[in-house]
Each structure stands twice: as C-alpha cells, then as structure tokens.
C-alpha cells in the first residue's frame, strides 16, 4: 500500500490545507514549521501548534497575515530578538 496519507505527518497535511484555503506559501511553510517544532519538542498543550489547532491557525493566517507571521516567528524563535525586530520592521509592525 503506497498511500500518501499513510506516510505524511499532520503538519504536512496542515500546510496543504492552508494553501488550499488561500494562505500564502511562505506563511503556510512557517505554520507547518511551527506545528512540526511543537511536536518534535513536545511543547506544553497550551502552546499553539498542536494538530487540533490547525483550523484556528488557518483562520489566523487568513485574518491578518502580517500579525500571524510575527506571532509564528515569536513562537519559533523566542530568543532571537534580532530576527523578531527585523520581522517587525519588514512587516511594519514596530
């Protein structure tokens, strides 16, 4: 049985669903990275990025792409203040 569903991870499925919903490729890739990192690092349940957060994350992406990108960056790289500041400047969110 060579079924894609049997070999893909939920973060890959989320990325495809996000793209199908109209989320930009870069933001869908960032969201997928957040979900994968959440799982791999076993972050606490109250951190965004669990499989059950998928629909909320897509809604966030569609509602405000810039704010969501910054939020994802802040969650993935909380101690990289240079990256966070650069992202804020690029998105005009300072």
């Amino acid at each position: 049985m060579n079924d894609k569903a049997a070999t893909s991870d939920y973060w890959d499925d989320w990325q495809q669903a996000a793209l199908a919903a109209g989320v930009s490729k870069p933001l869908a890739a960032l969201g997928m990275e957040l979900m994968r990192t959440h799982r791999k690092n076993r972050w606490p349940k109250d951190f965004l990025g669990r499989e059950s957060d998928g629909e909320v994350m897509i809604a966030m992406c569609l509602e405000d792409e810039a704010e969501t990108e910054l939020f994802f960056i802040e969650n993935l790289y909380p101690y990289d203040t240079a990256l966070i500041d650069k992202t804020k400047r690029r998105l005009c969110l300072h």
Side-chain angles (χ1 to χ4, degrees), residues 27-84:
L27 189 54
L30 191 60
M32 182 273 302
E33 183 180 349
L34 179 68
M35 294 184 100
R36 182 181 61 223
T37 301
H38 183 289
R39 175 68 177 103
K40 300 292 182 186
N41 291 329
R42 300 182 187 277
W43 288 346
K45 288 189 266 183
D46 56 333
F47 281 42
L48 186 71
R50 293 174 37 206
E51 184 174 9
S52 60
D53 295 330
E55 289 183 30
V56 170
M57 289 173 61
I58 290 173
M60 290 171 60
C61 291
L62 295 173
E63 184 176 318
D64 191 331
E65 187 169 320
E67 288 284 345
T68 302
E69 180 179 345
L70 179 60
F71 185 73
F72 288 176
I73 291 287
E74 290 172 330
N75 278 270
L76 280 165
Y77 311 104
Y79 304 109
D80 191 339
T81 55
L83 175 62
I84 291 169

